[in-house]
Amino acid sequence: MPAIIMVVITIICGASSLGFLDPTLAAHLKQFKLTPSVIGLMFLIAPGVYAFTAPLWGWIADKKGHTKTMMTCGSLAGAVAYLLMGPAPFIGLSPSLWIIVIGLVIMGLGVGGALIPTFQDAVNTAKAHGLPDNMDTFGLVSGLFNSCFSLGAFLGPTAGGYLQEEYGFAWASTVVGGLLALNAVIVLLFCVIRRCIPEHSTYEEREPLLGDSAGVTDVSKSQLPV
């Protein structure tokens, strides 16, 4: 199912972008000669914003819908945040503590806005393809979400540490921003293609109109003259 693949990519990219900072942010902040306490507080900014805004994103996804719009905008916001935090070599900014703080805030907002709706979107997709609206379906989606998030949480720090060591924080964060921007493009293209090429049949339309064919056969046989 392309819709589920899109959700999987979004979860992995979002989790990777959060984990990227674990081995890289402290080394990047050394140039500002901050105390260990301040560096620790810097690590709390993005997760703190994510945690405080998660209920809002969840409410919007549940009550208002527009999950794919949220995933697209959230991924773009995360991309902008990483381009600022580097900063990306091609935008002509010098490293600044306040730019990093602003980038961390935007990242917490953006990645939260991209990740939180994925669960509801996956549930909606599962129900649209015939899975029942019960705890079994929710458990299946929850397992998918946690597996993808764990994979992203592994890939983010691993790739982040390597990229920073080889190319520096500016280019490493640019790569992460580029991945988030690419994810936004993928979600957007999926939405455009789905609008231009609508499905001609739904799950309900694929159900047999006359019920079970075996049952119909049995009835017809019972009406034959003996």
Side-chain angles (χ1 to χ4, degrees):
M1 289 182 289
I4 292 296
I5 295 175
M6 177 198 63
V7 168
V8 166
I9 294 174
T10 301
I11 297 172
I12 293 175
C13 288
S16 298
S17 66
L18 288 174
F20 167 82
L21 295 176
D22 291 343
T24 60
L25 183 59
H28 182 57
L29 293 174
K30 282 184 178 180
Q31 59 185 309
F32 303 108
K33 297 180 172 55
L34 303 176
T35 64
S37 299
V38 175
I39 293 177
L41 289 175
M42 295 288 288
F43 273 94
L44 287 176
I45 294 175
V49 174
Y50 179 99
F52 278 110
T53 57
L56 174 63
W57 299 134
W59 180 82
I60 294 174
D62 185 45
K63 300 297 183 182
K64 305 296 183 180
H66 308 298
T67 52
K68 292 179 177 61
T69 301
M70 296 172 65
M71 291 158 60
T72 302
C73 295
S75 296
L76 287 176
V80 171
Y82 269 103
L83 294 179
L84 287 176
M85 281 191 292
F90 52 81
I91 62 177
L93 292 176
S94 300
S96 168
L97 182 61
W98 287 109
I99 291 179
I100 295 174
V101 171
I102 293 171
L104 289 171
V105 172
I106 297 175
M107 192 196 77
L109 288 169
V111 175
L115 276 179
I116 301 301
T118 56
F119 189 92
Q120 185 63 46
D121 192 84
V123 169
N124 294 340
T125 301
K127 291 191 292 186
H129 284 77
L131 292 181
D133 187 8
N134 57 23
M135 292 304 297
D136 292 337
T137 299
F138 281 92
L140 180 65
V141 173
S142 179
L144 175 69
F145 181 92
N146 287 320
S147 298
C148 296
F149 193 94
S150 298
L151 177 60
F154 164 76
L155 292 176
T158 304
Y162 170 79
L163 289 173
Q164 184 184 35
E165 184 177 354
E166 293 294 326
Y167 304 104
F169 185 85
W171 279 113
S173 62
T174 302
V175 170
V176 178
L179 289 176
L180 289 172
L182 178 62
N183 179 70
V185 171
I186 291 173
V187 178
L188 185 61
L189 284 177
F190 174 84
C191 296
V192 171
I193 292 172
R194 192 177 62 171
R195 282 182 177 272
C196 295
I197 311 176
E199 294 184 3
H200 295 288
S201 63
T202 62
Y203 176 81
E204 290 78 8
E205 292 171 340
R206 292 194 295 267
E207 290 294 315
L209 294 177
L210 298 178
D212 183 72
S213 58
V216 174
T217 304
D218 292 340
V219 172
S220 61
K221 286 181 178 180
S222 65
Q223 294 175 347
L224 293 175
V226 181

